[in-house]
Amino acid sequence: MSEAPTRPNRGYGRWTPAWFLAPAVLALLLIGIYPTIFALVTSFRRYNITRPRDGFPFIGFENYISVLTDSTFWSSLFLTAQFYVTVLPIQIMLGLIIALLLHKPGMGLLKSLARVTLVVPLATTYAVVGLIGRLIFNRDFGVANQLFEAIGVGKIDWLSSPTGAFAAIAIMDIWQWTPFCALIFLAGLSMVPGEIEEAARLETSSKLALLRYVQLPYLLPGLTAVMILRSADVLKLFDMVFVMTRGGPGSATDLISIYIQRVGFRIFDLGTASAQAILLLIITIIISRLYIRLFYREVH
């Protein structure tokens, strides 16, 4: 018997896929592409919104030269690098330990609850993390000082001292992003073939050898992704730090995003702020390419 001819779907035409893609493309253009192009164009202009009568003349690379010769910009960038090298190794180590514990066989219900719990910090917005940090590190009624007093240590004025404020924002960032590292590493460990891992466990009792020679190749793609995403995230980290310390005391937590916000929305020099943002974008791309070249390996 011959098959009955299929009726054409009258609701599906040549442009149907385009209509489904249009909302996402439009959102990408409005939220991602247009602001980037606007910042790039603005970075080549004298663009101060408090002096509209002066116009917005094209000044070439003058904003970039001003940024590159600005000592405060480099100080904020160096402080951001310090923050990055402080939090990332801790997040990677803690995330790897958590992932290895969750990868062990057994404890099915407990592991499921742990995975759900890991999502909570990631689902918390930066501003809320900052508010939680202000409560935890409050000098008078904060949980941190209550714990220190319980063990006989006096109160610490966390948010009013340079070292304490830097430590406070680092601790909150570690709390928020360690679960992300753990979930990425757990996904990498789940890609290890079971028979290879079981054979390796029979061959050696060293967990370090198992991690290095069997599991590490499957963790490197995830490690590369973590380093790239965290580099970009630290360079644009604003909400949490602004809510907790506003860049203070002094310039102790004046990360590069805080400084750019101050130039753009307090001094209202959008031309210089745009040049700083474009330079950060270039730095992020360079760092990402370096991470891919140094750490990324395909698993065959």
Side-chain angles (χ1 to χ4, degrees):
M1 295 179 63
S2 60
E3 295 183 1
T6 57
R7 296 181 179 179
N9 189 341
R10 294 182 180 180
Y12 189 92
R14 174 190 287 183
W15 296 102
T16 301
W19 286 116
F20 278 105
L21 291 173
V25 173
L26 182 62
L28 179 64
L29 289 173
L30 292 177
I31 299 173
I33 305 300
Y34 172 74
T36 303
I37 295 175
F38 178 80
L40 181 62
V41 173
T42 304
S43 68
F44 292 103
R45 296 182 178 276
R46 183 177 292 113
Y47 204 105
N48 193 312
I49 59 177
T50 61
R51 295 196 295 269
R53 294 182 180 179
D54 297 342
F56 310 111
F58 178 81
I59 57 174
F61 289 94
E62 186 175 317
N63 286 326
Y64 288 93
I65 295 172
S66 174
V67 171
L68 294 174
T69 56
D70 181 8
S71 60
T72 307
F73 173 81
W74 290 109
S75 297
S76 296
L77 190 60
F78 180 70
L79 183 66
T80 305
Q82 283 183 301
F83 181 80
Y84 177 74
V85 299
T86 298
V87 300
L88 185 65
I90 299 174
Q91 291 167 349
I92 289 175
M93 287 189 293
L94 292 178
L96 182 58
I97 292 171
I98 294 171
L100 290 172
L101 290 174
L102 293 177
H103 185 63
K104 293 174 66 176
M107 300 182 297
L109 179 60
L110 184 60
K111 287 162 64 174
S112 299
L113 291 175
R115 287 183 178 134
V116 173
T117 306
L118 288 174
V119 179
V120 174
L122 295 175
T124 309
T125 61
Y126 289 105
V128 173
V129 172
L131 290 173
I132 295 172
R134 287 186 66 89
L135 293 175
I136 292 175
F137 296 104
N138 185 279
R139 184 182 183 277
D140 298 320
F141 55 82
V143 176
N145 276 341
Q146 290 182 15
L147 292 175
F148 278 113
E149 286 185 325
I151 60 175
V153 180
K155 290 184 177 180
I156 300 175
D157 203 354
W158 291 90
L159 301 180
S160 298
S161 66
T163 304
F166 187 87
I169 64 171
I171 291 171
M172 295 309 299
D173 189 79
I174 291 168
W175 172 79
Q176 185 176 24
W177 287 102
T178 294
F180 172 76
C181 298
L183 292 173
I184 293 293
F185 291 146
L186 187 60
L189 291 172
S190 66
M191 298 297 293
V192 181
E195 60 275 10
I196 295 178
E197 191 171 11
E198 187 61 32
R201 292 183 189 275
L202 295 175
E203 288 289 333
T204 178
S205 60
S206 173
K207 295 182 180 180
L208 184 60
L210 177 67
L211 174 63
R212 179 179 178 184
Y213 295 108
V214 178
Q215 296 171 332
L216 184 60
Y218 294 89
L219 293 174
L220 286 178
L223 176 63
T224 307
V226 166
M227 296 178 75
I228 291 173
L229 293 174
R230 289 300 293 135
S231 298
D233 184 71
V234 168
L235 285 173
K236 66 181 182 63
L237 181 60
F238 173 78
D239 311 54
M240 184 263 288
V241 180
F242 188 79
V243 171
M244 285 185 67
T245 65
R246 296 185 182 270
S251 58
T253 58
D254 193 24
L255 302 184
I256 189 64
S257 57
I258 301 291
Y259 179 60
I260 293 176
Q261 184 268 346
R262 187 164 65 249
V263 172
F265 296 99
R266 294 190 187 181
I267 305 175
F268 297 106
D269 189 353
L270 295 185
T272 301
S274 297
Q276 293 170 337
I278 294 298
L279 288 174
L280 283 192
L281 177 61
I282 294 172
I283 291 172
T284 303
I285 293 172
I286 293 172
I287 292 175
S288 300
R289 296 302 302 172
L290 286 174
Y291 285 154
I292 292 172
R293 181 177 294 272
L294 293 175
F295 296 103
Y296 185 77
R297 298 290 185 276
E298 289 284 352
V299 179
H300 301 287

